[in-house]
Amino acid sequence: MGIYTIRREGVQEAEDVGVVIEGTTVMNNLGSVIMAFIVLFGLIYALDLSYPNDLKYTFEFCQKILMNLDGQRLSTKMEQMKLKMFA
């Protein structure tokens, strides 16, 4: 699961940005990495996928702290992060 960008050498703007799940490109030509992240987040939710283990806390932070979705039930790490941010 991830986001890819294709750039031509020496060009600042990405030629293509897309989302890959289980080795298959599921969305492409998304325009920006931010849009790709939003689409990936939505796909994880819509397809009821588990967050990747190495990015579990990143997605939990975005979901529960930044978006305030289900923010009442935080893991210990996220609770500590929230206290540090808003103290």
Side-chain angles (χ1 to χ4, degrees):
M1 177 178 310
I3 297 170
Y4 72 85
T5 61
I6 298 174
R7 296 177 190 221
R8 290 189 189 268
E9 194 170 323
V11 178
Q12 191 75 356
E13 192 171 317
E15 187 176 311
D16 186 19
V17 179
V19 174
V20 175
I21 296 178
E22 294 183 1
T24 303
T25 301
V26 292
M27 298 287 291
N28 62 355
N29 295 320
L30 293 174
S32 70
V33 174
I34 294 169
M35 182 58 77
F37 181 79
I38 292 167
V39 168
L40 177 59
F41 199 84
L43 287 168
I44 290 170
Y45 179 78
L47 299 173
D48 197 26
L49 301 173
S50 298
Y51 295 143
N53 284 335
D54 54 340
L55 295 173
K56 179 173 92 171
Y57 293 114
T58 301
F59 281 103
E60 184 180 359
F61 175 80
C62 291
Q63 175 189 346
K64 296 184 178 186
I65 306 289
L66 296 180
M67 297 177 169
N68 200 24
L69 299 172
D70 197 25
Q72 301 83 333
R73 298 182 305 177
L74 298 173
S75 68
T76 305
K77 279 189 171 191
M78 287 301 108
E79 187 67 44
Q80 292 171 355
M81 174 73 80
K82 187 174 182 179
L83 289 173
K84 287 179 183 179
M85 285 181 61
F86 299 110

